[in-house]
Amino acid sequence: MLKNKSKKKREKVDIIANIVVIFFAVLNLFPLYWLLTSSLKNSSDVIKMPPDWFPKTFTLSNYVDVFQSHPALRWTFNSIVVSLVTTVAVIIVSSLAAYAFSKLHFKGKNVIYIIFISSLMVPKEVMIVPLFRIIQNLGMVNSLNGMIWPNVATAFGVFLLKGFFDTIPDSLREAAKMDGASEFYIFYKIIMPIVKPGIGALFILNFVQVWNDYLWQLIVGQEENSKTLMVGIATLMQDLNPNFAYKMAGATVAAVPMILIFIFFQKYFTEGLTIGADKG
């Protein structure tokens, strides 16, 4: 009897908890819904009061105008290339460095790691001016290279992946070495497949960070065809007589790649967070 009462009580608690979770999920998704529906309205319908929570008429003219009046395809291509190349480069460099700090033994390893990680406390904005001078001297202004390589020089990926490498027992590496495996073979064929969740988490976090790196991309990409999507869409906001639906369409275009990236990598991202929580 007591078990049945306890079971019914737990079921009621679960129902209430699910209702609360669903409520906050809908609340968090509402801005995305409003962005999408507003991009399909006329500008006057976006700002009317009381608002139309569901569009009475749909139009794709805002999207057509964005791509016809501006090089939005070029901006999208630039953003994808910058974010993808930067993220892949960060994963390669960070995984190699994290493996070295976690599994290899060399003089001054801990001191170097502390100095390396200490750079995370320095905001990027502090280095904007000297960094731009370096890029300018290398002739990388108004080029994708100028947006890519400075973002590869970050210690965050090393810090994140080292935690995953530390969870792998050293006996696995030692057994592989006894079988005659080289260091690179151990790293690439044995260790890297185990830390896939960490790689997935780093991919999402870094891709999103680079995609939204508005300030640096604004400084480096000054010409129309060298702008990224975030910078290009921001130029749509500077009109004296703004077309809000037009701007909503541009913002939607900028948001779609982020949504797709998270959908494709959410499995690894969730696993990475779970492993990190278990480790903590």
Side-chain angles (χ1 to χ4, degrees):
M1 195 73 178
L2 291 174
K3 288 184 178 180
N4 291 334
K5 287 183 178 180
S6 178
K7 184 178 179 181
K8 288 181 179 179
K9 187 177 180 180
R10 284 198 303 270
E11 288 177 351
K12 290 180 180 179
V13 171
D14 289 341
I15 291 172
I16 294 173
N18 288 333
I19 291 173
V20 172
V21 169
I22 292 172
F23 172 76
F24 281 105
V26 171
L27 201 64
N28 279 278
L29 287 173
F30 180 76
L32 186 61
Y33 165 79
W34 186 253
L35 177 69
L36 179 60
T37 55
S38 296
S39 68
L40 300 172
K41 299 177 182 178
N42 296 317
S43 183
S44 58
D45 293 333
V46 176
I47 58 176
K48 70 180 291 188
M49 296 298 291
D52 292 329
W53 300 113
F54 187 80
K56 294 179 180 178
T57 59
F58 291 90
T59 176
L60 294 175
S61 60
N62 299 312
Y63 291 95
V64 174
D65 290 342
V66 167
F67 285 95
Q68 284 187 346
S69 304
H70 302 276
L73 281 175
R74 178 68 184 183
W75 296 344
T76 304
F77 173 79
N78 290 345
S79 285
I80 292 174
V81 170
V82 169
S83 301
L84 191 59
V85 173
T86 301
T87 301
V88 171
V90 165
I91 289 174
I92 294 173
V93 173
S94 298
S95 59
L96 288 168
Y99 177 79
F101 283 124
S102 177
K103 298 302 178 187
L104 303 185
H105 302 282
F106 52 91
K107 190 175 182 180
K109 180 177 75 171
N110 293 332
V111 175
I112 296 173
Y113 181 71
I114 291 173
I115 295 173
F116 203 68
I117 297 303
S118 298
S119 65
L120 291 173
M121 295 185 291
V122 181
K124 187 178 179 180
E125 289 74 15
V126 174
M127 303 180 288
I128 285 290
V129 174
L131 194 58
F132 179 75
R133 292 295 299 272
I134 294 173
I135 294 300
Q136 193 176 40
N137 292 335
L138 292 174
M140 291 185 179
V141 178
N142 291 318
S143 71
L144 301 186
N145 283 325
M147 302 177 193
I148 292 172
W149 301 116
N151 280 316
V152 177
T154 175
F156 174 75
V158 179
F159 173 73
L160 179 67
L161 292 181
K162 183 178 181 297
F164 286 90
F165 284 121
D166 287 343
T167 62
I168 301 174
D170 292 334
S171 58
L172 184 65
R173 174 173 169 268
E174 292 169 359
K177 288 188 75 69
M178 289 180 64
D179 289 337
S182 65
E183 199 69 61
F184 183 77
Y185 183 90
I186 296 171
F187 165 75
Y188 182 67
K189 291 290 187 180
I190 300 175
I191 304 297
M192 285 297 285
I194 300 176
V195 297
K196 275 185 180 180
I199 299 296
L202 178 59
F203 187 97
I204 290 181
L205 293 172
N206 198 83
F207 192 97
V208 172
Q209 188 274 323
V210 177
W211 184 273
N212 295 321
D213 192 13
Y214 172 79
L215 179 60
W216 180 245
Q217 294 170 4
L218 175 66
I219 293 172
V220 176
Q222 300 170 1
E223 295 179 352
E224 190 74 4
N225 286 331
S226 64
K227 292 178 180 178
T228 57
L229 189 58
M230 297 303 295
V231 176
I233 294 302
T235 61
L236 303 179
M237 310 294 180
Q238 300 173 1
D239 300 335
L240 294 177
N241 297 311
N243 183 329
F244 291 101
Y246 182 61
K247 293 168 174 48
M248 291 291 188
T252 302
V253 172
V256 167
M258 291 294 90
I259 298 172
L260 294 177
I261 285 293
F262 184 78
I263 289 173
F264 290 138
F265 285 87
Q266 64 175 329
K267 175 184 174 183
Y268 296 113
F269 184 66
T270 306
E271 287 180 2
L273 294 179
T274 305
I275 292 174
D278 292 341
K279 185 176 182 293

